[in-house]
Amino acid sequence: NATIDMSLGEHFTLTPVGNFTLAVTSPPPAGQIGVFILDINNGGSYTITWPANSRWENGTIQALTATGRDRLAFTTVDGGTSYEISMLLKNFK
């Protein structure tokens, strides 16, 4: 499992070594916007369970690159009850 603690910054890098569940902690309170960027290396090689109530662009979870880096933006405005996830870069080298 992997945990992103939003109180520790706005940019995180993750290189998984197996299937995992992504958890997010310490979002700002409801009514304030919380944003972080996540770079995932080789994320498409594994199954990722995303945070509950994640919403993706066009309603579809984006496929990650198996051998490369993808950059995702996570946004919450409701204290972490839900996260909107956008693919910023795919297979970035």
Side-chain angles (χ1 to χ4, degrees):
N1 291 333
T3 301
I4 302 296
D5 182 340
M6 291 182 72
S7 70
L8 298 179
E10 297 175 346
H11 181 250
F12 302 89
T13 301
L14 179 61
T15 303
V17 294
N19 300 336
F20 68 96
T21 297
L22 182 68
V24 181
T25 62
S26 304
Q32 295 181 19
I33 190 164
V35 177
F36 69 89
I37 303 299
L38 178 61
D39 284 346
I40 301 180
N41 296 304
N42 309 327
S45 295
Y46 305 102
T47 299
I48 302 170
T49 302
W50 301 99
N53 298 317
S54 294
R55 296 182 297 187
W56 292 78
E57 289 181 271
N58 300 317
T60 303
I61 294 175
Q62 300 294 306
L64 299 181
T65 304
T67 56
R69 180 167 49 108
D70 300 307
R71 179 169 289 164
L72 305 171
F74 287 68
T75 307
T76 184
V77 294
D78 56 12
T81 300
S82 64
Y83 290 91
E84 295 152 348
I85 306 173
S86 299
M87 177 76 73
L88 299 178
L89 298 169
K90 184 166 181 72
N91 198 19
F92 190 70
K93 298 181 180 188

